[in-house]
Amino acid sequence: MPLIKDGQFVADSWTVLEDEAEIPPNGDVIVSLERYISEVDVLVRRVGRVGVALENTADPEEIAPHLSDIDLISLTFPAFTDGRAYSQARQLRHHLGYGGELRATGSVLADQAGFLTQVGFDTFEVPSGQSIDVWNTASGSVTLAYQRGYEGSRKTRDKLQTSPAPQLTPDCAAVAGQTVPA
Amino acid sequence: MYRYDEFDTTFVRQRVDQFRDQVNRRVSGDLTEEQFRPLRLMNGLYLQLHAYMLRVAIPYGTLNARQMRQLAFIADEYDKGYGHFTTRQNIQFNWPKLPDVPDILEHLADVEMHAIQTSGNCIRNVTADQWAGATADEFEDPRPYAELMRQWSSLHPEFSFLPRKFKIAVTGAAADRAAIAYHDIGLRLKRNAAGETGFEVMVGGGMGRTPMLGATVRDWLQKEELLAYLEAIMRVYNLHGRRDNKYKARIKILVHELGAEEFTRQVEDEYARIDAPRIMPPPQELTRIKTYFAPPAYEELADQSPELARRMNENTDFAQWVDRNVVAHKQAGYAIVNISLKPVGGVPGDASAAQMRAVADLAEDKSLDEIRVTHEQNLVLPHVRKADLYEVWQSLKAHDLADANIGLATDIIACPGLDYCALATARSIPISQDISRRLGDITRQRDVGDLKIKISGCINACGHHHAGHIGILGLEKRGEEYYQITLGGSGDENASIGEIIGPGFSSETVTDAVETIVDTYVGLRQDGETFLDAYRRVGPDPFKEAVYATH
Ligand code: SF4
């Protein structure tokens, strides 16, 4: 699957390991949560990085003790209307302070790009055929966000310094203790 | 009223451009209908039985004259000269063409309006008490918080793909006109012993096939904590709400299956982990919003108007209209005027472009440029001088807007039903018209008194039949429409869910049944007892006996 990072297609160094597959001695591998937990000793001692794929029903809390050993977490969207992974991402970034790569997989469409970035995803596995221009247009089409405390480059009102003072009607101004220029 | 600043304006314009791009990609075939569907739904665009339908948000039901005129313009230009006000304080246009929709959104943006999240599995338009800021029974004006929530919920990065739609209502008054117990989240501003105001938070109310009243998860929430606490509720729901069955996906089912106590525990746990100061707006932001809702420029007036008293003496029709449609304002010398969109035999909630313009003119001249839309599908002029009431009434009369039936039997709520809606199992508008004609005699209506009849065209309950004193649900069996009647529902501060009285009625007999129920009430009521009071006293039996004996 093509991988997008920072608005460009990038090479993917990671291999997804099926649960039955043998663990290679080196290279970057993504394993399931179950496998990670049961074979953590082997996984952390090999050469190469380890990533974990979480089902969207998993509680991120389950990998909390291991986060410092994990370089990538992939979260999945079985359908693009199934939004559980947005909250998982938020919990990983915010509650658990996870700072590694956060990858979105599954049904990942251009129109979600902005939201995904805001909750803390930084790489996106997209369906083949996805045009990078359409992706970038869709993800950059809204540059503002009302929600404070989310990630990404969308500006909140507090950061948009150009915002002028509200235009007050005389009666409003009187209540607010301000005067209105005639 | 709230006014957009540069931030809001840019945001809404960007959203229009984004949607224009999505429409173009759909038209060019880059997006399949399946991919486009959730995108158009996030912008209020439905595919109905005959055509597209665009639902425009009227945030917490507030409009000014300029906005109302723009809605009239859209009705003329893109619909057939009508707009349909809904039970969620929105307006729907029934015949837009897909390529025109971005232009319509552009026209809306010109007057600081949008269609963001009026459909789809996201946080919908926040609704509020339609008399907010004007009513005498208010602890605090809920509109600044409704506006805060409108902003916070708009294109929310985390909560735009929820298990199901999500509705929030807020009131700041003792009497609940926003039906908060029937919402996914219901917020009530109340006052504590120390004189401070805070929120009571209810979660898990709803209509649909499993009607439920919300459970209080927080009896007292500091106002500043509102958004952070909402985030906790939404996150628990987003992660754990059911996605395997559309009919079990609302938050009410999650609350029910976990139990209110366990649900509350999960919300509080989540809340404890949230970095609230990062999420909450700085204090100056709430002040900024509140400034817009400062009281308008009232004149200092005597509370009584001799002019009004004289006119009421001279003209019975006017006096009856004042009696039913005009209610107390908190400002001396002012009144709240309710405009009925329920002419006898009409389509509930429909207004012609000419009527919209007439209301806009009146708002500008006589109501400090404010209009409200109610969840009962009527309009309100919230700030009218008592001395102007007669003139206002005359203007309304000239546009067939002076029906004196607010809260009476013909003030019926009905969803679009089979005449428009793709999900409908039965017609609801013709039934409402039929009942309205049958009970329409104004003397009889006034004698019957307060009565809420609510009609839905399918189990989804958009016509709020569960909350009707008399609720009617249109169903279908073997190609035949039939109508189930419930009694005793209420959406006010003593909310209750109506109970089914027995087998359904055909479209020919349902009006007879309703009339029998009304007559039965008239026969058994005690002094001053309303329909709902009487029903709560005697229960369903006398009504059942009467209805099933005669039909
Ligand atoms: S209740 Fe049913 S028929 Fe009526 S508007 Fe809702 S979905 Fe359509």
Side-chain angles (χ1 to χ4, degrees):
Chain A
M1 288 281 185
L3 187 71
I4 296 178
K5 184 179 185 187
D6 296 329
Q8 299 173 34
F9 286 118
V10 293
D12 188 0
S13 69
W14 293 86
T15 311
V16 178
L17 268 200
E18 298 301 327
D19 278 352
E20 312 76 47
E22 206 177 308
I23 298 173
N26 48 36
D28 300 340
V29 293
I30 300 174
V31 298
S32 69
L33 174 65
E34 293 67 34
R35 185 157 201 192
Y36 185 85
I37 305 266
S38 62
E39 298 186 53
V40 59
D41 295 342
V42 185
L43 286 164
V44 295
R45 258 183 264 116
R46 54 192 282 288
V47 182
R49 297 176 297 169
V50 186
V52 175
L54 288 189
E55 297 292 329
N56 76 351
T57 47
D59 184 351
E61 204 61 47
E62 294 179 55
I63 44 164
H66 308 286
L67 284 178
S68 54
D69 296 326
I70 293 174
D71 289 291
L72 176 148
I73 293 175
S74 80
L75 298 174
T76 186
F77 294 83
F80 97 95
T81 48
D82 183 339
R84 281 178 272 207
Y86 290 102
S87 286
Q88 289 176 307
R90 180 85 171 148
Q91 288 182 318
L92 281 164
R93 291 290 193 216
H94 267 243
H95 297 353
L96 303 174
Y98 173 67
E101 178 176 339
L102 196 53
R103 179 176 291 197
T105 67
S107 181
V108 177
L109 302 183
D111 299 281
Q112 291 160 279
F115 291 160
L116 290 168
T117 309
Q118 283 179 279
V119 296
F121 285 99
D122 41 21
T123 57
F124 312 92
E125 227 179 75
V126 295
S128 43
Q130 173 69 56
S131 134
I132 196 72
D133 290 341
V134 168
W135 177 273
N136 286 328
T137 307
S139 62
S141 56
V142 176
T143 60
L144 305 177
Y146 281 111
Q147 301 77 20
R148 293 170 174 84
Y150 281 78
E151 328 286 324
S153 58
R154 291 189 184 185
K155 287 195 172 63
T156 59
R157 191 188 297 275
D158 316 331
K159 301 207 178 92
L160 194 80
Q161 296 299 345
T162 56
S163 194
Q167 292 288 308
L168 298 178
T169 56
D171 42 295
C172 283
V175 170
Q178 299 174 22
T179 47
V180 181
Chain B
M1 269 183 68
Y2 187 70
R3 294 281 311 276
Y4 282 11
D5 66 0
E6 187 189 335
F7 185 94
D8 302 299
T9 304
T10 312
F11 180 87
V12 168
R13 295 282 180 198
Q14 289 184 343
R15 180 70 183 107
V16 174
D17 293 344
Q18 185 186 46
F19 192 65
R20 191 182 289 282
D21 173 59
Q22 290 167 351
V23 169
N24 288 343
R25 280 190 283 144
R26 172 70 193 113
V27 172
S28 74
D30 276 357
L31 287 174
T32 63
E33 169 56 23
E34 194 198 346
Q35 290 169 334
F36 181 57
R37 193 171 166 274
L39 300 175
R40 67 169 160 75
L41 284 180
M42 282 194 62
N43 225 345
L45 189 62
Y46 283 80
L47 198 49
Q48 296 276 73
L49 276 182
H50 315 290
Y52 281 103
M53 177 271 277
L54 180 69
R55 184 181 292 152
V56 174
I58 301 176
Y60 37 96
T62 57
L63 285 172
N64 60 26
R66 184 164 159 251
Q67 292 172 323
M68 186 64 113
R69 287 195 190 103
Q70 193 78 329
L71 295 177
F73 164 78
I74 292 168
D76 271 340
E77 203 71 12
Y78 300 99
D79 193 323
K80 297 179 175 175
Y82 280 89
H84 177 78
F85 291 97
T86 77
T87 54
R88 299 213 68 257
Q89 301 179 314
N90 293 319
I91 186 168
Q92 294 179 181
F93 295 108
N94 277 318
W95 309 94
K97 302 205 173 41
L98 181 59
D100 287 339
V101 173
D103 294 340
I104 301 177
L105 296 175
E106 205 79 62
H107 294 308
L108 290 170
D110 289 345
V111 295
E112 308 182 0
M113 294 184 77
H114 60 68
I116 297 170
Q117 290 166 216
T118 52
S119 57
N121 292 337
C122 48
I123 302 169
R124 301 288 187 89
N125 184 29
V126 174
T127 53
D129 183 353
Q130 67 265 18
W131 298 342
T135 178
D137 70 340
E138 196 164 77
F139 300 118
E140 187 175 339
D141 187 346
R143 291 173 302 166
Y145 302 96
E147 173 58 27
L148 190 65
M149 288 188 280
R150 179 192 75 81
Q151 299 187 9
W152 163 80
S153 62
S154 294
L155 300 192
H156 198 291
E158 189 180 345
F159 307 129
S160 288
F161 298 95
L162 298 168
R164 202 74 177 84
K165 59 188 170 184
F166 203 92
K167 300 174 180 179
I168 302 177
V170 56
T171 179
D176 178 8
R177 289 170 287 265
I180 61 167
Y182 274 109
H183 283 75
D184 294 288
I185 294 180
L187 299 166
R188 187 203 307 277
L189 276 161
K190 58 183 194 179
R191 191 167 284 147
N192 68 8
E196 304 151 334
T197 47
F199 286 108
E200 177 186 346
V201 184
M202 289 173 154
V203 182
M207 307 249 183
R209 70 177 58 200
T210 340
M212 287 186 194
L213 300 177
T216 298
V217 299
R218 248 309 178 102
D219 194 48
W220 185 263
L221 182 72
Q222 304 280 351
K223 291 179 292 185
E224 305 71 48
E225 295 176 276
L226 181 61
L227 296 186
Y229 197 77
L230 292 180
E231 181 171 315
I233 296 173
M234 298 309 302
R235 186 166 300 132
V236 169
Y237 172 55
N238 191 37
L239 286 168
H240 303 300
R242 286 181 60 170
R243 292 175 188 261
D244 57 329
N245 179 342
K246 172 176 170 191
Y247 296 109
K248 301 207 158 142
R250 295 288 289 269
I251 197 173
K252 64 189 173 187
I253 303 292
L254 179 66
V255 175
H256 181 72
E257 288 181 353
L258 289 175
E261 207 172 308
E262 171 59 17
F263 175 81
T264 306
R265 190 194 61 76
Q266 292 191 11
V267 169
E268 292 290 341
D269 276 3
E270 182 60 37
Y271 185 53
R273 308 193 67 179
I274 286 178
D275 182 1
R278 264 187 78 171
I279 289 150
M280 295 181 306
Q284 64 268 27
E285 172 61 4
L286 195 56
T287 310
R288 183 188 74 87
I289 294 176
K290 278 187 173 168
T291 308
Y292 292 107
F293 297 99
Y298 297 123
E299 291 167 43
E300 292 287 333
L301 299 171
D303 194 39
Q304 302 301 323
S305 157
E307 158 81 2
L308 172 62
R310 182 173 65 78
R311 293 292 191 182
M312 285 178 73
N313 263 328
E314 286 169 8
N315 187 323
T316 324
D317 287 350
F318 174 62
Q320 289 188 345
W321 177 80
V322 171
D323 178 47
R324 284 312 309 188
N325 293 34
V326 175
V327 295
H329 197 285
K330 65 179 180 188
Q331 179 73 21
Y334 283 81
I336 300 172
V337 168
N338 294 280
I339 302 172
S340 168
L341 295 181
K342 315 288 177 63
V344 169
V347 178
D350 268 16
S352 69
Q355 287 177 319
M356 290 187 229
R357 290 195 183 93
V359 171
D361 291 347
L362 275 174
E364 213 163 47
D365 291 352
K366 305 287 183 200
S367 181
L368 303 170
D369 199 19
E370 271 199 55
I371 303 159
R372 306 285 174 79
V373 180
T374 82
H375 84 271
E376 297 187 317
Q377 303 181 283
N378 293 314
L379 299 176
V380 174
L381 295 173
H383 314 293
V384 179
R385 296 189 325 172
K386 286 181 178 173
D388 289 339
L389 283 171
Y390 185 73
E391 210 183 313
V392 167
W393 176 71
Q394 283 187 310
S395 308
L396 289 172
K397 229 166 120 71
H399 291 91
D400 296 325
L401 288 168
D403 289 81
N405 62 348
I406 294 290
L408 295 179
T410 57
D411 188 2
I412 299 172
I413 291 188
C415 78
L418 205 51
D419 293 284
Y420 294 98
C421 178
L423 303 172
T425 40
R427 294 166 301 157
S428 47
I429 292 172
I431 300 300
S432 122
Q433 291 171 312
D434 210 37
I435 295 173
S436 167
R437 279 188 214 104
R438 182 74 67 88
L439 302 175
D441 177 73
I442 191 68
T443 313
R444 181 181 187 188
Q445 285 194 65
R446 289 177 60 81
D447 174 54
V448 171
D450 289 341
L451 180 60
K452 292 187 192 298
I453 301 177
K454 307 192 185 210
I455 309 175
S456 304
C458 82
I459 196 78
N460 287 326
C462 306
H464 298 180
H465 66 276
H466 298 298
H469 301 167
I470 300 178
I472 299 171
L473 166 62
L475 296 164
E476 184 254 37
K477 205 181 339 183
R478 283 181 240 103
E480 290 281 314
E481 294 162 300
Y482 73 100
Y483 295 86
Q484 208 169 58
I485 294 184
T486 50
L487 294 180
S490 168
D492 66 11
E493 59 282 6
N494 300 310
S496 53
I497 296 168
E499 292 163 67
I500 298 171
I501 59 164
F505 301 87
S506 70
S507 55
E508 286 81 39
T509 56
V510 63
T511 301
D512 295 335
V514 170
E515 186 172 32
T516 305
I517 289 165
V518 170
D519 289 342
T520 305
Y521 150 69
V522 171
L524 61 72
R525 70 181 161 191
Q526 296 176 349
D527 259 2
E529 204 176 41
T530 62
F531 179 90
L532 189 60
D533 291 342
Y535 177 82
R536 284 178 174 166
R537 175 173 58 83
V538 302
D541 290 345
F543 298 96
K544 284 188 191 172
E545 276 162 32
V547 164
Y548 293 106
T550 47
H551 300 285

